[in-house]
């Protein structure tokens, strides 16, 4: 069976959106770290409404939510591919997975720093 690419602008983009939404749903419903991070995003969104944060603070908060969840998605993809290629433990695969996890760590530190910058003035 030959794969035929859909060259039309609208239907091609629509199919891409469907695949992206399926991927986001799978990520949120199967990965515990993403579930935790999504829950934190909801809590921080509620805090933003409660404290009446500014437009710029909203933009920064939304940006770091997207950053952390995006990097976590890439980390999950790297882990899944690595496990598919080499299911048993391998030192080099472990190194690759550690680097991907490190990227999530940097994104999370950035989110924490931004959250502190936004909310400390409201709290103290």
């Amino acid at each position: 069976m030959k794969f035929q690419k859909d060259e039309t602008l609208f239907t091609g983009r629509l199919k891409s959106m469907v695949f992206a939404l399926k991927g986001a749903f799978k990520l949120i419903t199967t990965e515990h770290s993403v579930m935790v991070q999504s829950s934190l995003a909801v809590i921080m969104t509620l805090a933003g409404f409660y404290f009446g944060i500014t437009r710029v603070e909203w933009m920064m908060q939304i940006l770091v939510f997207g950053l952390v969840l995006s990097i976590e998605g890439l980390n999950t993809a790297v882990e899944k591919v690595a496990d598919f290629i080499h299911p048993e433990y391998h030192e080099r695969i472990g190194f690759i997975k550690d680097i991907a996890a490190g990227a999530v760590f940097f994104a999370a530190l950035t989110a924490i720093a931004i959250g502190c910058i936004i909310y400390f003035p409201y709290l103290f």
Side-chain angles (χ1 to χ4, degrees), residues 39-110:
S39 298
L40 289 172
V42 169
I43 291 167
M44 298 310 291
T45 299
L46 294 173
F49 285 118
Y50 178 79
F51 289 111
I53 63 176
T54 67
R55 286 178 74 138
V56 172
E57 291 168 336
W58 274 114
M59 287 187 288
M60 295 305 294
Q61 183 166 285
I62 291 166
L63 181 67
V64 296
F65 293 162
L67 173 72
V68 171
L69 292 172
S70 296
I71 300 295
E72 185 63 58
L74 291 173
N75 176 52
T76 299
V78 166
E79 288 181 355
K80 299 293 184 194
V81 168
D83 290 343
F84 179 76
I85 292 171
H86 205 290
E88 300 84 33
Y89 175 79
H90 190 279
E91 187 176 330
R92 287 177 21 190
I93 295 289
F95 180 79
I96 292 166
K97 290 169 124 183
D98 288 347
I99 289 172
V104 175
F105 180 71
F106 285 133
L109 286 179
T110 302

Side-chain angles (χ1 to χ4, degrees), residues 14-33:
L14 188 60
K15 287 179 182 179
S16 295
M17 290 268 302
V18 170
F19 291 136
L21 287 171
K22 282 182 185 178
F25 182 77
K26 286 178 185 178
L27 192 60
I28 290 171
T29 57
T30 62
E31 296 301 315
H32 293 288
S33 57

